Amino acid sequence: MLEITVTQAPEANVIDVLRNAVAEATVRAYGAEREYAVALCEVFRIEGPWSSQWYMIEHNDKTEVAKPVHAEKKALFKVLNAAKHTNPSTVWARVRKYAQEHIEGKPEGEGASGEGEGESVGAKARRSLTLRFVEELTTLYKAGKNAESMSTKETDAHTYIASALKALGVELSTIQS
């Protein structure tokens, strides 16, 4: 019979500290992204009447109205890339989502229980469909980009994945392999 003895490692305190640091960083990032989204709503409101929907501007929008939004996105990507963030597109997607929630309110069914986002311990976080598409397609795009060789079918699929990411507003040049 196998006997297992569990002992607490002396590094357990270090693990506790690091675990708490992760939780605190997550809360800080969440709050910073929300504050940034609200501030952008204010900045773009001053700039013109279209401001309440700045978060709806897509990557391929070439209008004058879209230019300040694209400039802000580029500035954010620049600082995130400098900080070695692995996927600035997900941050931008969350900021746009938080801005939309700020202007339009949370979609029905979210937060209806009175529970704030991030307050329920152990609950599975609910991602928007757009965020899920961006995250999962980005993973597939990276796999194809890093592949040593691909069949014709795989190359065709990779082309469609790239097109889908572009349709979602992702700049392919910002995806780091």
Side-chain angles (χ1 to χ4, degrees), residues 146-169:
N146 294 330
E148 290 183 20
S149 66
M150 292 194 292
S151 69
T152 303
K153 287 181 180 180
E154 291 167 337
T155 302
D156 290 345
H158 191 257
T159 301
Y160 286 116
I161 291 166
S163 295
L165 285 167
K166 287 178 186 176
L168 291 166

Side-chain angles (χ1 to χ4, degrees), residues 13 21 62 76-78 83 87 103 111 120 127 139 163:
N13 191 31
K62 305 286 187 220
L76 176 65
F77 278 37
K78 183 177 180 180
N87 193 349
I103 297 295
S120 63
R127 300 180 292 174
T139 300
S163 295

Side-chain angles (χ1 to χ4, degrees), residues 15-140:
I15 297 297
D16 290 342
V17 169
L18 294 174
R19 183 184 320 109
N20 289 333
V22 168
E24 290 170 12
T26 302
V27 169
R28 279 193 313 272
Y30 171 80
E33 288 172 1
R34 283 218 177 257
E35 288 176 24
Y36 179 53
V38 170
L40 287 177
C41 289
E42 292 301 312
V43 167
F44 293 135
R45 184 172 56 86
I46 293 168
E47 307 258 334
W50 47 271
S51 61
S52 63
Q53 287 126 12
W54 71 265
Y55 47 83
M56 301 297 282
I57 292 174
E58 295 297 333
H59 76 286
N60 57 354
D61 188 339
K62 305 286 187 220
T63 63
E64 288 298 313
V65 168
K67 286 182 180 179
V69 176
H70 292 315
E72 184 56 39
K73 177 183 175 183
K74 186 176 180 179
L76 176 65
F77 278 37
K78 183 177 180 180
V79 296
L80 290 174
N81 285 328
K84 306 266 191 263
H85 194 283
T86 57
N87 193 349
S89 296
T90 59
V91 175
W92 184 247
R94 281 194 304 266
V95 168
R96 289 176 61 189
K97 175 186 170 231
Y98 296 152
Q100 185 173 14
E101 288 175 0
H102 174 70
I103 297 295
E104 300 174 12
K106 280 194 175 187
E108 201 169 311
E110 286 186 33
S113 66
E115 234 177 53
E117 198 171 319
E119 289 181 9
S120 63
V121 177
K124 186 174 181 178
R126 191 171 163 187
R127 300 180 292 174
S128 71
L129 185 57
T130 300
L131 180 58
R132 184 173 178 192
F133 280 166
V134 168
E135 289 174 348
E136 294 183 14
L137 287 168
T138 299
T139 300
L140 293 170

